[in-house]
Amino acid sequence: MGSGNYLILALAASLDYLIGDPWGWPHPVRGMGWIIYQFVRGIVNNPLATEDAYFTKTRIITHRLAGIVLAIVLVMGSGGLGWIIVQAARFIHPLLGVALESIILASCFAARSLRDAADDVLQPLTQGDLAKARKTLSNYVGRDTENLSSSEILRAVLETVTENATDGVMAPLFYALAGCFIPMVGAAPLALAYKAASTLDSMVGYRAAPYTYIGWFSAKMEDVLTWLPCRLTVLTLALLSGKPGYVLQVCRRDATADPSPNSGWSECAYAAVLGVQVGGINFYRGVAKHKPLLAEAIHPITPERIQQATRLTRNCFLIWLAIAQTALILLAWL
C-alpha cells in the first residue's frame, strides 16, 4: 500500500472536478469501445437480423463463448495494461508515475461529465428552447426524445444522472479505493478493469438481437461488480438524507421491481431523498417500454432537484474519498 496513493486519489478527484472529459481528448473508454466494436463486428455478421432468423444452436454457443472471451480479455487486459503503464512511468521517475496514474484514474470518474451533461440539457430547457433541449438530450440517452414534454425531459435527465452516478462515479471510485489497499496494485488498474466491464455492458449488454448471447456474460459480470458499490451508495445517500429509514424502506419496496439489480436501486434512492418519482413509459425506436415507478411524487422534478442530485453524488464521492484518505494516511504512518 504505497503512501502515494492518497496523493493520486486527491489529484484524480481534482482533475475530474476541474476538467472532466473534454470532447476529443484521448480516453481509455474510446479505446475499449473500438476493441469491442471490432470484435463484435467480426462475430455478428448481420446486426439487422431478427432473433428467430439469426440464431441457430451453433451460433448461440459461438456467441456465448465469444462474449465470455471478450469480457475476460478486455477487463483483465485493461487492468493489466494500466498497471504496466503506471509501473513503467514509475520506473522512469516516481513523480511521472504519480502524474500518469492520476490522469488515468481521473478518466475513470464521470462526475464532471454527468454534471456537464445535465447542464447541457437544462440550459436550453430553462430558456424555453424545447427543440434544442430534446436534441441535446438525444446525445445522452437511448430513448426517443423527439416528442418529449418539459417534464419528461426533466425526468430523463434525472434518471440518467442518478443511474450513472453508481456505475460512472461511485463504482469506479470503489474499485480504485480497493486497489489502494492491495499491495502492488494501486488505484488505476482496478478502476480501469471496472470501466471495461461497464463499457462492455453499455455496448453489448442487451437482451435484443444481435447482442442477446454475445453480451450475456458482460451484462451479468457488470451486475455482479456493481452490486456492492451500488448498495454502499444507497446506504450513503440514505445517511446523507437524514431519513435513512424512509429511504431504505422505499428502496426495498420499489427498487426490486426494476429488472436491473442495480440501476433501480440507484435511481430509487436518489428519488426518495429528493422526494420525487421516476420511472414510467419510455419509447425506444417507437416501441413503448414500461419502467416501474420508483419513490413518491412528493415534489415535481425541477432543474434545481437535478442539480441537487449531482451535489449528492459529489458529497458521496467526497465522503468515500475522505474515509479512504484517512485510512491510507494512518497506514502510511504505521
Side-chain angles (χ1 to χ4, degrees):
M1 290 171 284
S3 59
N5 281 324
Y6 58 84
L7 178 58
I8 292 167
L9 289 169
L11 287 173
S14 300
L15 285 173
D16 178 61
Y17 180 79
L18 295 172
I19 300 175
D21 299 317
W23 287 101
W25 284 30
H27 197 285
V29 169
R30 293 192 183 95
M32 296 171 189
W34 183 85
I35 292 171
I36 295 168
Y37 174 77
Q38 297 299 327
F39 184 92
V40 171
R41 187 175 67 169
I43 301 296
V44 179
N45 298 318
N46 185 5
L48 300 178
T50 64
E51 181 130 0
D52 290 339
Y54 187 62
F55 289 116
T56 64
K57 185 175 181 179
T58 301
R59 283 183 179 270
I60 290 172
I61 295 173
T62 301
H63 280 214
R64 284 190 182 275
L65 291 176
I68 292 171
V69 170
L70 171 64
I72 293 175
V73 170
L74 188 68
V75 170
M76 295 185 66
S78 298
L81 181 60
W83 185 86
I84 291 171
I85 291 173
V86 170
Q87 294 304 315
R90 287 179 178 173
F91 179 78
I92 296 172
H93 195 283
L95 289 180
L96 178 62
V98 169
L100 190 57
E101 186 167 10
S102 300
I103 293 171
I104 293 173
L105 183 58
S107 72
C108 296
F109 301 146
R112 175 63 183 262
S113 297
L114 284 178
R115 189 169 74 248
D116 289 347
D119 290 342
D120 284 347
V121 180
L122 293 178
Q123 183 176 2
L125 185 64
T126 54
Q127 293 174 350
D129 192 344
L130 193 60
K132 185 176 181 181
R134 289 168 176 163
K135 184 177 181 180
T136 305
L137 178 63
S138 68
N139 295 325
Y140 301 108
V141 301
R143 71 189 72 180
D144 300 340
T145 63
E146 295 86 356
N147 301 310
L148 294 183
S149 64
S150 295
S151 61
E152 290 172 325
I153 291 174
L154 289 170
R155 175 169 70 86
V157 174
L158 183 61
E159 288 174 353
T160 299
V161 166
T162 57
E163 176 184 353
N164 289 287
T166 295
D167 57 17
V169 182
M170 300 308 297
L173 176 62
F174 173 86
Y175 285 101
L177 298 179
C180 289
F181 290 93
I182 301 175
M184 294 300 296
V185 174
L190 285 190
L192 277 173
Y194 175 80
K195 206 68 178 178
S198 179
T199 305
L200 280 161
D201 181 62
S202 65
M203 290 186 66
V204 300
Y206 300 101
R207 296 181 180 180
Y211 306 113
T212 309
Y213 300 103
I214 198 170
W216 169 83
F217 184 81
S218 294
K220 293 296 182 183
M221 178 177 61
E222 199 272 346
D223 286 344
V224 171
L225 292 176
T226 307
W227 192 92
L228 181 56
C230 179
R231 269 61 186 177
L232 292 174
T233 300
V234 169
L235 181 59
T236 307
L237 289 168
L239 293 173
L240 283 174
S241 72
K243 46 184 180 182
Y246 169 76
V247 173
L248 295 176
Q249 179 185 17
V250 171
C251 287
R252 285 194 297 266
R253 184 193 69 192
D254 296 344
T256 53
D258 194 281
S260 169
N262 297 309
S263 63
W265 282 84
S266 183
E267 291 181 36
C268 189
Y270 278 93
V273 174
L274 298 172
V276 300
Q277 187 176 73
V278 295
I281 300 176
N282 300 326
F283 286 87
Y284 298 86
R285 297 182 181 179
V287 179
K289 181 177 180 180
H290 297 259
K291 291 195 67 177
L293 297 176
L294 305 176
E296 302 288 344
I298 301 171
H299 307 291
I301 300 175
T302 62
E304 291 74 24
R305 296 201 180 276
I306 293 173
Q307 291 167 355
Q308 185 180 350
T310 62
R311 289 195 296 270
L312 281 169
T313 302
R314 183 180 63 198
N315 291 341
C316 287
F317 186 95
L318 292 175
I319 287 171
W320 287 20
L321 192 63
I323 293 172
Q325 294 285 53
T326 301
L328 287 169
I329 292 172
L330 290 175
L331 287 171
W333 285 346
L334 296 175

